[in-house]
Amino acid sequence: MSLTPIDFHSVVRSCIPQEAEVVVLKREGSPAAIIYADVDGDGHPEITALYRYLDNQYLFSLKNYSGNWFPIASAATGRMQELTDFAAAPVSRREGWDLVIGWQNERESSSELDIVQWTTTGFQRLIPPGTFYNHLEIEDMPGRDGRDGLCEIALWVHEQDQAYNVETYRWDPYRLVPIQDVYSYYFQKVTRYYEDLARDHPGEQVYRSYLEEAQRKAGGSISS
């Protein structure tokens, strides 16, 4: 028996006001802000999306009941900034994935991090405002005891030219906290990034300095 593919955009359009617009991300290809993931922890994925209507943007989730889609949560975000990131991942819990959202900072070329969780009473923000970044990566990174089924977050914050301050975070247990036990894994990636920059820009000492710092955090030897 074949399963009929879901036309996510059509499902979302059918559940929002006619004058509303599905939000698109400010990135190459302008993908729609639509996720298919289990956000309520029942083992079955829901459709979660953002749409713009009048003077607000709304976050909502839809569940399939016998072939029909019904909302299980809806909330105004209170924001009108453009969207840079929209993902679902097990950050604070393994069952019922959190929504990781990046809002464009209108005054700078950075984004503000938002983490939202579905609850039986609606969506709940997990972190306060004020965490900014330029690049975001979400991954279950191996720590001292290996991978644990929960995702860490790496935030790259621009400092100068193509150089970034990179920090890794984990949910523990009611907030994001900076961590170092994944450095030996994640900073191998950061090291490769600065190796490429140092090779392509041999006259820029700043990239050599960032490379050496990344190598120290990765636990490797310093390149000569």
Side-chain angles (χ1 to χ4, degrees):
M1 182 179 67
S2 62
L3 296 176
T4 302
I6 301 171
D7 186 341
F8 296 106
H9 196 276
S10 294
V11 171
V12 171
R13 284 287 336 159
S14 70
C15 296
I16 63 178
Q18 184 176 358
E19 302 83 2
E21 298 177 349
V22 178
V23 173
V24 297
L25 276 71
K26 189 179 180 182
R27 62 170 58 176
E28 185 177 356
S30 300
I34 300 174
I35 293 171
Y36 190 52
D38 179 16
V39 298
D40 67 356
D42 69 348
H44 301 283
E46 292 77 39
I47 296 175
T48 300
L50 275 162
Y51 68 91
R52 184 179 297 108
Y53 181 60
L54 299 178
D55 295 325
N56 214 323
Q57 295 186 117
Y58 296 83
L59 176 68
F60 76 122
S61 289
L62 302 169
K63 180 175 285 294
N64 189 332
Y65 293 102
S66 302
N68 296 302
W69 294 91
F70 296 93
I72 59 171
S74 179
T77 64
R79 294 175 178 266
M80 283 299 289
Q81 299 106 303
E82 292 192 86
L83 194 68
T84 58
D85 291 286
F86 192 56
V91 175
S92 70
R93 59 188 185 185
R94 292 176 180 84
E95 297 179 355
W97 287 12
D98 303 304
L99 302 170
V100 181
I101 304 172
W103 300 102
Q104 177 74 49
N105 183 0
E106 297 174 347
R107 291 173 295 180
E108 301 177 13
S109 59
S110 63
S111 301
E112 184 174 5
L113 181 66
D114 204 359
I115 302 179
V116 177
Q117 184 180 89
W118 181 93
T119 73
T120 55
T121 58
F123 291 114
Q124 176 181 339
R125 280 198 171 95
L126 297 185
I127 64 172
T131 299
F132 296 94
Y133 66 93
N134 297 92
H135 176 66
L136 165 78
E137 293 192 348
I138 310 165
E139 182 184 350
D140 182 3
M141 305 177 193
R144 284 184 293 269
D145 299 320
R147 291 181 170 87
D148 62 0
L150 292 171
C151 284
E152 285 72 30
I153 294 176
L155 298 181
W156 295 53
V157 179
H158 181 254
E159 292 196 329
Q160 54 182 316
D161 298 326
Q162 298 180 63
Y164 296 81
N165 177 57
V166 181
E167 191 54 82
T168 48
Y169 296 86
R170 176 182 295 131
W171 191 258
D172 181 33
Y174 303 109
R175 60 193 177 99
L176 278 182
V177 296
I179 54 169
Q180 298 183 8
D181 65 321
V182 299
Y183 275 8
S184 61
Y185 167 78
Y186 189 76
F187 273 86
Q188 294 180 47
K189 177 183 293 187
V190 182
T191 294
R192 290 192 293 271
Y193 172 77
Y194 286 116
E195 284 175 342
D196 290 342
L197 283 177
R199 182 185 62 249
D200 295 341
H201 305 276
E204 297 288 344
Q205 181 59 36
V206 62
Y207 297 138
R208 170 63 59 180
S209 298
Y210 277 88
L211 171 59
E212 292 176 354
E213 178 66 17
Q215 288 173 328
R216 277 192 289 269
K217 290 182 176 179
S221 58
I222 305 300
S223 299
S224 58

